[in-house]
């Protein structure tokens, strides 16, 4: 009898171990097994039929987090660029080009000449690969004399970002994404892998500049999105 009881106890233990073992969930591939670990699952480039599908590149730069800035008119010391904050559900920082300083400083003549007005901010980016890139600026224009900036990559040509995105009426604009365009279409920029310097320069006064997006996708972010 004692032998049978012992066998019964052993069998019960074996059943318990099997049941407990089944209860343990193995996380699916890509999901971290430890709580609190990184939750983002990075899509990997996949090969199919010899075609390599590359993941999209998105680089976001906050305009107020510049690497260098020329924020004063050199002769008078007048402030031409300054940091600001706004609350849009969350607090966002921006770079403001105070309205009116171009006239105050008598520099209207310089507005049409890229890079001659004071007021420039630079940003350093590091691109993962050589590709065709598109540029979008999240900004709040001021009015029809405050709805543009100049942009360039490294020592390249100055391009205007100049449109009426976010326009409610002549003197009222809301925050919007402004694509860098060429004859109405998104401008294609062939950029090499590695470090590049982006520069925003004043073209008109009044705009508020939130962030720059450099992406391999030519589709602009949704107009009301704070984060692309
Ligand atoms: Ca203005
Ligand atoms: Ca910002």
């Amino acid at each position: 009898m004692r032998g049978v009881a012992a066998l019964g106890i052993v069998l019960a233990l074996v059943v318990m171990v099997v049941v407990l073992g089944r209860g343990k969930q193995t996380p699916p591939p890509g999901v971290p097994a430890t709580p609190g670990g990184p939750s983002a699952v990075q899509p990997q480039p996949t090969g199919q039929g010899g075609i390599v599908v590359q993941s999209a590149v998105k680089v976001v730069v906050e305009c107020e987090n510049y690497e260098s800035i020329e924020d004063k008119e050199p002769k008078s010391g007048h402030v031409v660029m300054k940091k600001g904050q706004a609350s849009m559900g969350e607090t966002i920082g921006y770079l403001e080009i105070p309205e009116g300083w171009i006239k105050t400083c008598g520099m209207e003549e310089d507005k049409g000449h890229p890079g001659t007005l004071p007021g420039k901010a630079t940003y350093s980016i590091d691109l993962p690969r050589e590709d065709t890139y598109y540029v979008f600026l999240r900004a709040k224009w001021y009015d029809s004399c405050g709805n543009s900036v100049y942009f360039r990559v490294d020592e390249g040509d100055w391009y205007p970002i100049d449109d009426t995105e976010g326009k409610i009426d002549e003197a009222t604009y809301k925050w919007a994404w402004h694509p860098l365009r060429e004859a109405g279409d998104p401008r294609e920029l062939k950029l090499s892998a590695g470090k590049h310097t982006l520069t925003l320069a004043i073209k008109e006064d009044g705009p508020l500049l939130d962030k720059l997006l450099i992406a391999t996708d030519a589709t602009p972010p949704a107009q009301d999105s704070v984060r692309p």
Side-chain angles (χ1 to χ4, degrees):
M1 277 303 282
R2 200 178 280 172
V4 173
L7 188 63
I9 289 165
V10 167
L11 272 172
L13 282 172
V14 167
V15 168
M16 269 174 72
V17 166
V18 169
V19 168
L20 284 173
R22 279 194 187 158
K24 241 185 213 173
Q25 292 295 315
T26 309
V31 174
T34 48
S39 58
V41 179
Q42 294 298 323
Q44 296 297 319
T46 52
Q48 205 170 29
I51 300 165
V52 175
V53 181
Q54 290 188 300
S55 53
V57 177
K58 273 187 179 185
V59 177
V60 178
V61 171
E62 296 290 343
C63 296
E64 68 278 15
N65 295 342
Y66 42 78
E67 186 166 277
S68 71
I69 192 163
E70 177 196 38
D71 59 354
K72 293 183 182 72
E73 199 280 305
K75 285 179 198 154
S76 64
H78 199 97
V79 173
V80 301
M81 279 181 154
K82 63 177 184 183
K83 289 187 185 189
Q85 277 191 347
S87 182
M88 273 169 274
E90 59 182 300
T91 303
I92 67 138
Y94 56 76
L95 195 59
E96 176 179 1
I97 304 170
E99 164 63 13
W101 77 263
I102 294 176
K103 193 170 183 187
T104 303
C105 295
M107 301 193 83
E108 291 100 318
E109 291 291 311
D110 295 309
K111 282 170 76 172
H113 308 288
T116 59
L117 277 178
K120 293 177 189 70
T122 69
Y123 308 89
S124 187
I125 59 164
D126 199 348
L127 296 175
R129 63 170 187 259
E130 182 182 342
D131 211 327
T132 299
Y133 290 90
Y134 302 90
V135 175
F136 307 91
L137 170 71
R138 185 169 189 271
K140 188 174 186 287
W141 294 149
Y142 187 82
D143 58 16
S144 56
C145 294
N147 57 350
S148 64
V149 290
Y150 285 120
F151 170 86
R152 76 171 176 182
V153 181
D154 301 322
E155 300 299 311
D157 293 337
W158 288 105
Y159 299 123
I161 298 176
D162 189 344
D163 57 42
T164 55
E165 302 293 343
K167 184 177 178 177
I168 297 167
D169 58 50
E170 286 304 319
T172 319
Y173 283 79
K174 57 185 177 181
W175 286 98
W177 285 97
H178 305 271
L180 174 63
R181 292 186 173 99
E182 179 179 22
D185 293 322
R187 180 180 283 276
E188 295 184 353
L189 293 175
K190 305 263 186 223
L191 300 177
S192 59
K195 291 201 187 316
H196 292 279
T197 300
L198 312 179
T199 306
L200 285 171
I202 294 178
K203 184 169 178 289
E204 294 179 299
D205 52 20
L208 309 181
L209 316 172
D210 174 15
K211 44 179 76 86
L212 280 165
L213 165 66
I214 295 84
T216 49
D217 187 348
T219 312
Q223 285 297 43
D224 58 352
S225 68
V226 176
R227 295 171 194 281

